[in-house]
Amino acid sequence: FSPTTFLFSGALLLLSAYLTYRFFPQSGGSGIPGVRISLVVFQGKISLKNTFGKFITTLLSLSSGIPLGLEGPLVTISAGIGSFFGEFFSMPTKKVKSLLAVGSASGIAAAFNTPISAVIFALEEIIGDMGYPFLASNIVDTEWEEQVFESTAFFEKGGPFMFRMRANCSVFMATVLKI
């Protein structure tokens, strides 16, 4: 552990804190409670500025070597991307909310390599309703997508990164197609 590493890590952490405080105050914290608030209070809308801010500040913080989890910020970033697509394509509020939940599920699927558990997480923690209509269809579609991607030689040779990408895409696409 050299002094240069210590100074570089500290500079990255201070830059992340400054950006959060000065430009992206909504991107502070874990993010999962913020996603739930966006779903309930703001009709599923998360600004692209906050999504970008969370991405940059998380990148800087984790690059500094600080032992923080990637899961909370990944849920926020993925939910923000889902929300952005809903707003970009001028979807109704109900579909924007669904895309926010789908985005959060894809973030959990990418973080833990568990696409089915990610759907259940989104239903339980983000939506707060285990009886939400797309539960059964998403689990079946997610498993079907996994089987299709597993049989593709392109994804078999990609290693863990491709598995995360496959899990992320399968949850996101299975739910988007059901909306």
Side-chain angles (χ1 to χ4, degrees), residues 45-57:
K45 295 180 181 170
I46 298 175
S47 73
L48 195 58
K49 176 186 173 188
N50 287 336
T51 303
F52 178 74
K54 181 61 110 175
F55 175 76
I56 294 299
T57 56

Side-chain angles (χ1 to χ4, degrees), residues 30-36 39 70-79 98 100-132 134-135 138-139 142 171 175:
S30 165
I32 295 174
V35 170
R36 184 122 192 222
L39 181 72
L70 177 65
E71 299 81 20
L74 195 55
V75 167
T76 306
I77 293 165
S78 300
S98 292
L100 181 124
V102 169
S104 64
S106 66
I108 289 293
F112 293 112
N113 295 330
T114 56
I116 295 173
S117 297
V119 170
I120 294 171
F121 169 84
L123 290 171
E124 183 179 351
E125 293 296 323
I126 304 299
I127 296 174
D129 181 12
M130 289 298 288
Y132 202 72
F134 66 78
L135 174 63
N138 278 349
I139 290 176
T142 301
V171 170
T175 308

Side-chain angles (χ1 to χ4, degrees), residues 25-42:
Q26 296 295 325
S27 69
S30 165
I32 295 174
V35 170
R36 184 122 192 222
I37 289 170
S38 295
L39 181 72
V40 174
V41 177
F42 301 115

Side-chain angles (χ1 to χ4, degrees), residues 51-109:
T51 303
F52 178 74
K54 181 61 110 175
F55 175 76
I56 294 299
T57 56
T58 300
L59 180 69
L60 291 172
S61 296
L62 292 178
S63 297
S64 73
I66 195 165
L68 295 177
L70 177 65
E71 299 81 20
L74 195 55
V75 167
T76 306
I77 293 165
S78 300
I81 291 170
S83 175
F84 168 74
F85 279 125
E87 291 180 52
F88 183 77
F89 291 113
S90 302
M91 294 181 171
T93 301
K94 184 176 180 182
K95 291 188 179 187
V96 172
K97 287 181 174 184
S98 292
L99 283 175
L100 181 124
V102 169
S104 64
S106 66
I108 289 293

